[in-house]
Amino acid sequence: MSVALEKEVAENPQSPQSPSIRSFVRRQGRVSNAQQRYYSEMMSAVGIPFQPQLLDLARIFGRDAPKILEIGCGMGETTAEIAATYPENDYLGIEVHTPGVGSLCKQIAERGLSNLRICQHDAVEVLRAMIAPESLAGIHIFFPDPWPKKRHHKRRLIQPPLVALLASRLAPGAYIHCATDWENYALQMLEVLAAEPSLENSPAALQGGFVPRPPSRPRTKFEERGLRLGHGVWDVLFHKPLGRKSP
């Protein structure tokens, strides 16, 4: 990237001149019969198609309530559990892989969730084109692809241009919560979020900058297995202070 383009991305991350940061890796995954059935039956009701215009989330959910975005829902268990636990909030989950979307549709149907919608599209494009500035009460990014090899670190989702874009979509007082089971990525998350001038680390942060797992983030079966094997998990929680605007 040229110096001029780097400056453009840093100052205006939603600019069309920004490079094609992507929030996902294309994978071929088998869609089960159940996932396909729920996908076919539910997406017309809970899916939000990508379109290059701002969403009216209050109209979509039929109420004024805090709106929280999740990037990368995986198979949807955590997303659905959070939505069921906090019915006073509305949740928009972004996931590109059809098996995961179908699984989340199944969770929505079985739990009878009315406060959860899905957008099957690249999260960066959704943020740029569909999410209004300062409209979100929170953003969740749980266990994104760690790209463990050093030469692939540039492909990681949590990078300064994206964090600036995320921060611009947070309302004052809102938060961004990231979690990973890769310590090296956790340190990068902490460094990048701390460098964003419109954000501050949580008052709950311990020495080292990480926070204990908030009760609002349920543990997944994968996480429980990792903890039994002695693997670490790191949570990073930053807020946009009241009265502070994005640069």
Side-chain angles (χ1 to χ4, degrees), residues 49-106:
F50 176 78
Q51 52 188 340
Q53 64 184 52
L54 295 180
L55 292 173
D56 183 346
L57 290 172
R59 182 189 63 78
I60 288 170
F61 286 95
R63 64 176 183 171
D64 289 319
K67 302 297 188 284
I68 297 172
L69 180 79
E70 181 174 2
I71 297 177
C73 301
M75 300 308 288
E77 296 95 339
T78 297
T79 309
E81 180 66 23
I82 293 172
T85 304
Y86 299 95
E88 68 274 17
N89 299 329
D90 292 327
Y91 295 88
L92 174 59
I94 302 178
E95 176 59 53
V96 296
H97 298 111
T98 299
V101 175
S103 179
L104 182 52
C105 285
K106 183 174 184 289

Side-chain angles (χ1 to χ4, degrees), residues 123-186:
V124 177
E125 294 184 3
V126 173
L127 284 160
R128 286 173 171 163
M130 299 177 69
I131 305 299
E134 300 194 340
S135 63
L136 298 175
I139 296 172
H140 298 165
I141 304 176
F142 298 150
F143 303 99
D145 194 323
W147 292 103
K149 294 182 180 178
K150 187 173 182 179
R151 68 177 182 272
H152 293 156
H153 285 184
K154 62 189 176 186
R155 302 181 185 178
R156 287 175 170 174
L157 179 63
I158 305 300
Q159 305 283 357
L162 178 65
V163 169
L165 176 59
L166 294 172
S168 73
R169 271 42 182 174
L170 290 176
Y175 69 90
I176 176 171
H177 180 188
C178 303
T180 181
D181 56 350
W182 285 80
E183 185 175 12
N184 176 273
Y185 198 4

